[in-house]
Amino acid sequence: MNLKKALIVDDSRLAQFVLKKMLVEQDMEVDTSESAEEALGYLSKYKPDVIFLDHTMPGMNGLEVLKVIKDNPDTAPIPVMMYTSQEDSTYMSKARELGAIEVLPKQLSPTELQQVLTKLKLSDNIGEDITVAANEPVADISDSTVSEPLTEDLPAGTLTKNKEELEKLVHDAEAALNHEAVQQRLQHKIEQQKDAFEQEISALHEKMDALIPAAESSSNRQNFWNNVFWAAIYCVTVVVFAAIYFQQKTDIQQLSVAQKRPTQETSQPATPPNRTIEQTVPPVTSNIISPQAQGNNNQQVALSSLENSINSNNQIPFGELLLGETIQANLNELIPRLQNINFSGRVNVQAHDGTFCVNTNNSGQFELAADDAPVSQCQITESSSRLADIASIGLLQLVTASNQSPDSNFIITINPLGINSPLENYPEITDKTTAGEWNTIALKNRRVETKLISSNSP
């Protein structure tokens, strides 16, 4: 018998235990994951028949991982049940909008579970009477204990195994409570240290305020002697140029007198010894560049090199998220390099989309039309400017972490520009225009450009 398989995604081992027991009683194989990230890794290798997904978990929450599952063509067909204590109607509507089949309560009875599985054609127990008596307790997996019906009618070996698992769960719960107590003590200690730090900062501010008048006085004295120094340099320069000017004037006068005197060698005009008319004052230039200007120039060269490097791999193929793995990898490489050169300013990520000539396959998914197909016979895709539609959760988390990092003096901004700034215009749609010609241009236009804008730029 080929058993159907379920995946339970919940960070609570007790919740996993209760739901797994009910699913096993419905003749299903069950695998479990304790986090959204672990579940996504599992789904990259295995495809269960149904997923039971909790909402509140460390890292990504249930709605976030639900969106990732439904955005992936390989996992989108798997039915997902939100299995949570959330009862808000807005939450339920959002879950169904993202693709959840149903929102199930944590206090789930075997009857309700079988009805859901029967609806999905995952249960063969349709004709069995599984009604629950009015006084039968319902398993509440949000509590820290398990009621007696969880162990009723179980074989002796199973009872012993369940007892061991429950004892382990109780031990884990005690450890979690101790961990929470430690966290509270640490938080209290941090708040105390924060208050002491703020007091020290306040005392330093008072000392600095007291030192400011003395510093200003010292600065004024320094400015006076600086002015004296540059005035002396100016006077010396004027005197040197004046001496050179008067010497040149004297030489020219002497040359004029000598030329007027009669001489037997008229072919050789007299000139003052060691002097020529062509003597001029050499121009005074300065090639000295300040260290600050040199540093800015070096950083600008480095920034231009980084821009060229990151934008050399910025075309995003059809079917891949515009702001997905490729751009996330680029930013992962760029961020530490900007930190190493103490870049201060803004990293502007501009996302440009293309419109492709596509057809719909048997699974209802878009695929590129054949290169020789006429554009007039295929569908042109639309572009979205909503960040939630074109960016992966991983990239958004990376940008948020970088902007909040104390090691970064820059911020990263993302601008979804849609199809408003194409690199190349699309051809006119005629019977002779092929899908290959159209999609070649669409691929050029589908790109992400990164601009490094320094706060030191003029």
Side-chain angles (χ1 to χ4, degrees):
M1 179 179 178
N2 188 16
L3 298 179
K4 301 293 185 181
K5 179 173 288 188
L7 172 66
I8 302 173
V9 186
D10 198 321
D11 61 323
S12 169
R13 289 189 177 182
L14 185 58
Q16 292 178 10
F17 175 83
V18 176
L19 181 56
K20 181 177 180 179
K21 178 179 180 296
M22 289 193 291
L23 288 170
V24 169
E25 290 176 351
Q26 295 295 324
D27 296 327
M28 296 192 71
E29 290 185 357
V30 181
D31 290 329
T32 60
S33 296
E34 295 186 0
S35 69
E37 291 76 12
E38 181 182 340
L40 293 177
Y42 172 94
L43 292 174
S44 67
K45 300 179 181 178
Y46 308 103
K47 301 297 181 287
D49 297 288
V50 63
I51 300 173
F52 291 86
L53 181 59
D54 186 27
H55 176 70
T56 304
M57 295 180 291
M60 298 171 63
N61 64 37
L63 293 182
E64 290 173 337
V65 73
L66 174 62
K67 185 179 186 305
V68 173
I69 291 173
K70 292 303 177 182
D71 285 346
N72 186 344
D74 293 333
T75 57
I78 303 175
V80 179
M81 303 289 176
M82 296 305 296
Y83 186 56
T84 175
S85 57
Q86 298 277 348
E87 298 180 352
D88 182 63
S89 59
T90 303
Y91 174 84
M92 294 182 179
S93 299
K94 181 64 175 177
R96 293 189 177 96
E97 178 184 341
L98 290 175
I101 299 296
E102 190 60 76
V103 180
L104 303 176
K106 286 253 177 164
Q107 295 181 344
L108 181 66
S109 70
T111 303
E112 292 172 322
L113 178 61
Q114 186 188 351
Q115 289 174 352
V116 170
L117 296 178
T118 302
K119 181 179 178 181
L120 295 175
K121 299 181 181 180
L122 297 176
S123 174
D124 297 328
N125 301 328
I126 301 176
E128 297 182 7
D129 183 9
I130 58 168
T131 56
V132 181
N135 59 351
E136 179 184 355
V138 178
D140 183 357
I141 66 175
S142 63
D143 294 336
S144 60
T145 60
V146 181
S147 56
E148 291 183 0
L150 294 178
T151 59
E152 286 182 357
D153 303 326
L154 293 176
T158 305
L159 182 60
T160 302
K161 181 179 179 181
N162 290 345
K163 180 180 179 183
E164 293 174 353
E165 292 185 4
L166 286 175
E167 289 176 349
K168 187 175 186 305
L169 290 173
V170 171
H171 178 270
D172 291 344
E174 292 176 349
L177 290 174
N178 291 334
H179 178 66
E180 183 177 356
V182 171
Q183 282 186 321
Q184 290 177 350
R185 290 196 297 270
L186 285 175
Q187 183 65 28
H188 180 67
K189 184 67 175 177
I190 290 172
E191 290 177 355
Q192 288 180 334
Q193 292 180 346
K194 179 181 177 183
D195 293 339
F197 178 73
E198 289 178 349
Q199 291 177 359
E200 291 180 2
I201 291 295
S202 177
L204 287 175
H205 274 280
E206 292 178 357
K207 292 180 179 179
M208 290 177 65
D209 290 342
L211 291 174
I212 286 175
E216 289 179 346
S217 176
S218 175
S219 176
N220 291 335
R221 290 195 299 270
Q222 183 66 33
N223 288 337
F224 170 77
W225 288 113
N226 285 341
N227 292 336
V228 170
F229 172 78
W230 287 112
I233 293 294
Y234 175 77
C235 291
V236 170
T237 303
V238 170
V239 169
V240 170
F241 273 90
I244 294 174
Y245 169 76
F246 286 113
Q247 182 64 49
Q248 290 288 325
K249 185 176 180 180
T250 303
D251 290 344
I252 292 173
Q253 290 174 347
Q254 291 176 354
L255 179 61
S256 299
V257 172
Q259 286 179 335
K260 292 180 181 179
R261 291 175 182 172
T263 177
Q264 295 178 351
E265 298 177 358
T266 56
S267 60
Q268 297 181 357
T271 57
N274 302 326
R275 293 289 178 179
T276 63
I277 297 178
E278 287 79 9
Q279 267 188 319
T280 57
V281 179
V284 179
T285 59
S286 174
N287 294 323
I288 300 176
I289 302 176
S290 68
Q292 181 179 2
Q294 183 66 33
N296 292 339
N297 185 55
N298 291 340
Q299 188 184 71
Q300 191 59 44
V301 172
L303 292 179
S304 297
S305 176
L306 286 177
E307 266 192 11
N308 294 334
S309 174
I310 194 171
N311 288 325
S312 64
N313 181 31
N314 68 341
Q315 284 193 333
I316 311 302
F318 175 79
E320 181 180 333
L321 268 179
L322 189 57
L323 295 170
E325 294 181 356
T326 298
I327 305 306
Q328 184 176 346
N330 288 349
L331 289 179
N332 263 325
E333 179 182 354
L334 177 66
I335 289 171
R337 296 176 69 179
L338 291 177
Q339 292 172 347
N340 287 340
I341 64 173
N342 295 322
F343 171 69
S344 175
R346 180 161 57 93
V347 180
N348 188 11
V349 180
Q350 299 178 347
H352 304 268
D353 208 348
T355 58
F356 291 84
C357 176
V358 299
N359 292 321
T360 306
N361 59 24
N362 295 332
S363 302
Q365 303 294 325
F366 286 143
E367 62 182 11
L368 293 178
D371 287 346
D372 58 352
V375 174
S376 57
Q377 296 182 10
C378 62
Q379 183 177 350
I380 304 299
T381 59
E382 297 180 355
S383 173
S384 173
S385 295
R386 294 178 64 246
L387 197 58
D389 295 334
I390 64 174
S392 68
I393 293 176
L395 181 135
L396 296 178
Q397 290 175 336
L398 173 64
V399 170
T400 301
S402 174
N403 289 345
Q404 294 177 351
S405 172
D407 298 328
S408 298
N409 295 324
F410 55 87
I411 62 170
I412 302 176
T413 58
I414 300 179
N415 295 325
L417 300 180
I419 58 174
N420 296 325
S421 302
L423 281 179
E424 189 172 335
N425 293 327
Y426 295 91
E428 183 180 356
I429 298 179
T430 66
D431 292 337
K432 295 183 179 180
T433 307
T434 65
E437 296 171 340
W438 184 279
N439 288 335
T440 298
I441 296 175
L443 182 59
K444 292 180 181 178
N445 292 334
R446 195 168 199 260
R447 68 204 187 277
V448 177
E449 296 178 342
T450 302
K451 306 289 185 181
L452 303 179
I453 305 171
S454 174
S455 58
N456 297 325
S457 298

